[in-house]
Amino acid sequence: MTGFDSFLVVDWSASAAPAPARPSKDAIWLGLVQGGTPQDPLYCRTRTEAEARIADIIAGERAAGRRLLVGFDFPFGYPIGTARRITGSDDPLALWDWLEARITDSDTGANNRFDVAEAMNARFDDPGPFWGKTHADRWPGIPYRKAGIDYTEIAEKRACDVAAKAASSCFQLCFPPTVGSQMLMGLPMLSRLRRQHGARAWPFDDWQDAPTVLAEIWPGLIESAVTSALGAGAPIRDAVQVTLLARALSRLPAADLNAMMTDLPQAAQQEAWILGTGHESTLNDLAGDDAPPAPPPLRDDCFAMPAGVDWTPVDDALATLRAGLHPVVRPAHCNVPDACGRILSAPAIARRANPPTPNSAVDGYGFAHDSLPPGDPVLPLVSGRAAAGVPYDGTVPPGHAIRILTGAAVPAGVDTVILEEDTRTGAGQLAFRAGIKRGANTRKAGEDVDAGAELLPKGRVLTPADLALLAATGLGVVEVFERLRVAVISTGDELIEAGGAANPGQIYDANRPMLLAQIRAWGLEAVDMGRIPDDRAALRAALDDAASRADVILTSGGASAGDEDHVSALLSEAGAMQQWRIALKPGRPLALGLWQGAPVFGLPGNPVAALVCTLIFARPALGLLAGAGWQEPQVFHVPAAFEKSKKPGRREYLRARIRDGRAEVFASEGSGRISGLSWAEGLVELPDAAATIQAGDPVRYYPFGSFAF
Ligand code: AMP
Ligand code: MG
């Protein structure tokens, strides 16, 4: 399952004349959120103009590698049975083709829709089902009014119209709402978009992996958000509808949208379905202005280093990142089962105590401690029992006991439970030794968590155990940040794709698979931008594209100050670049900058240096940008299994692993040795100052797993 990058919402029209030149209502409006960025609504005066624009947007998004969902506000299918009467087949797409072959339209809007509707009515025995016309005395095969049409063989409304409480019917051609006419003038266009532009129609086609998907939507689902936007002074209703609906769809978590598109009743395969039906309140929330605002942009000087410093110590570089960056992702919602690895955007609050009621911790017998007789008790057993999920409704009288199982709510009249193994039963009686404590073997309500308690703070990266805690305390949905999108670009003329045939001068791109996998392992969304040659125009275009599709950009290669170091050259040109000369081994200069507001980490090309710089610098920065806060990696002090002396001036990271409780390091420090990266299970950190390490001396060791958030 992949999500969509862009969302286009189309408000269609059946008008027989061009709309006024000045943007006005009842024309065709297009609302677009492109790669996460909302665009101004587009106004089209005619269907011809609109169809050309939609086709352009489809081609443009596809060329940019963005997956596009296009929503249209008219039904994609008729009630069950209609298509068969007309084409002889239940396939709704055959009816699209049938209409495309018959409907004529023109630049002015003049069209033959009533003639075609009359021909469709002729395929039914009784009057209808299509009704309503502009001239009472024309098209005798079309009833002027609905009265007298029998909708038993064919229903007047589809299952989704009923579910969405839509007032309109596919068969009404005239008098608002003229949905029937909009369909007749819209389905031929869909048929062309499908055949000429390779778009897939949801839910009829195989749409799951298609780059462009056409879907039926309906602004009526977000009526309350539209009404409040209009109340706040927004001008044209249609423009507001398409804007808000595109916005709501773009803010839906991809998994939720996918579920809305997949969980459909059977009828949808013939009749189509209105996307989002049954999820009106979610869509209204997301459409509204009080939906999460975009976070503020990063400041141009966020990567500025103190002037006059030649080689920046690692800690100063980290402090600069920590001070200059903040979360750049919006809050969103996520279902608890899907939330592992997501980052809370607000504290999670328990809706219910755990346990919700006092319950038994063991299988045994319950009674009131106060009512125990002196000496070894023998108590009559009440009939019935208390089990988990099946409580005992009555009250256990004083001096009586009841059978109770683990997890069962403690019944009224009981405050203590004795373990089954410590008792004997017979003839309706229970016997045990004196001395049990009041409250034994019971769990108090809320002894783990009270209702209303803060379970987890904002910024928490959710673990599997957290999901258990959230679920147990009644949470089905949590507020999380949208996933940070991280684009990865490899640069260099010498690079080719792994697995391909290589000339002697060429090397395989090793950084990109490594960096993409690392980003995914951190629970972030990796956006693969491919390999770019050492060519300034190509790299500029790639950075533009990456900035529109991702929140952060990682490049590798070309980050120094040489002739072919185009990443640093372009970032300097953009005016927001800082060349960081960090006192670090391995790691040549790091180029940091903003490209169209997106932070760029220009990593060294060397794979060893690229990974070390990613773990040491990019990781905490990405955590901050993603909403998880600044997270120090967990360090362990372990005895060295090696000897080494180093000069002062720069911090060093050695590829290392623990064997027999001691840190051993890779035999070669050569920064081209990718085998050593793979051999290692972590890094040993040697201080900025001079150091002489003897075997057995404690050293700082970071397992790779420490570099997480
Ligand atoms: P650069 O930083 O562009 O000067 O590259 C430094 C070294 O890293 C050169 O030997 C490059 O060939 C190598 N290199 C650059 N990018 C990659 C990559 N994606 N995969 C493997 N090696 C690379
Ligand atoms: Mg290079």
Side-chain angles (χ1 to χ4, degrees), residues 507-531:
I507 63 167
Y508 293 113
D509 179 1
N511 290 343
R512 209 167 95 249
M514 170 175 74
L515 296 174
L516 289 167
Q518 181 63 78
I519 287 158
R520 289 189 199 107
W522 285 331
L524 309 179
E525 190 176 323
V527 183
D528 183 2
M529 305 299 300
R531 286 167 291 112

Side-chain angles (χ1 to χ4, degrees), residues 68 143 175 198 219 221 258 273 298 340 372 546 581 651 669:
L68 173 68
F175 325 114
L221 296 185
N258 192 65
W273 191 257
L298 297 174
C340 190
L372 290 180
R581 300 187 352 131
R651 189 170 294 185
E669 289 180 24

Side-chain angles (χ1 to χ4, degrees), residues 494-670:
E494 72 278 28
L495 300 180
I496 56 168
E497 197 70 13
N503 296 329
Q506 294 182 314
I507 63 167
Y508 293 113
D509 179 1
N511 290 343
R512 209 167 95 249
M514 170 175 74
L515 296 174
L516 289 167
Q518 181 63 78
I519 287 158
R520 289 189 199 107
W522 285 331
L524 309 179
E525 190 176 323
V527 183
D528 183 2
M529 305 299 300
R531 286 167 291 112
I532 306 297
D534 288 318
D535 172 273
R536 209 157 291 189
L539 186 58
R540 182 182 285 117
L543 288 171
D544 284 349
D545 195 13
S548 75
R549 291 173 59 186
D551 306 300
V552 190
I553 304 169
L554 299 189
T555 66
S556 69
S560 308
D563 295 350
E564 294 296 343
D565 288 320
H566 300 290
V567 173
S568 41
L570 280 171
L571 288 176
S572 314
E573 212 179 279
M577 130 99 170
Q578 299 286 328
Q579 182 89 56
W580 280 19
R581 300 187 352 131
I582 299 168
L584 167 76
K585 182 185 172 187
R588 304 268 307 148
L590 201 58
L592 290 116
L594 290 184
W595 190 268
Q596 294 169 9
V600 182
F601 287 81
L603 302 165
N606 194 295
V608 176
L611 186 63
V612 169
C613 288
T614 300
L615 298 180
I616 303 299
F617 297 107
R619 180 207 59 95
L622 292 174
L624 205 48
L625 294 165
W630 186 269
Q631 311 244 352
E632 301 285 352
Q634 197 174 14
V635 65
F636 297 86
H637 297 266
V638 290
F642 62 94
E643 293 182 350
K644 181 178 163 70
S645 67
K646 76 173 277 293
K647 297 203 207 84
R650 46 181 195 170
R651 189 170 294 185
E652 283 189 35
Y653 288 95
L654 307 176
R655 283 152 279 174
R657 62 186 196 184
I658 304 284
R659 287 293 179 273
D660 301 326
R662 289 145 64 96
E664 53 183 55
V665 297
F666 191 59
S668 161
E669 289 180 24

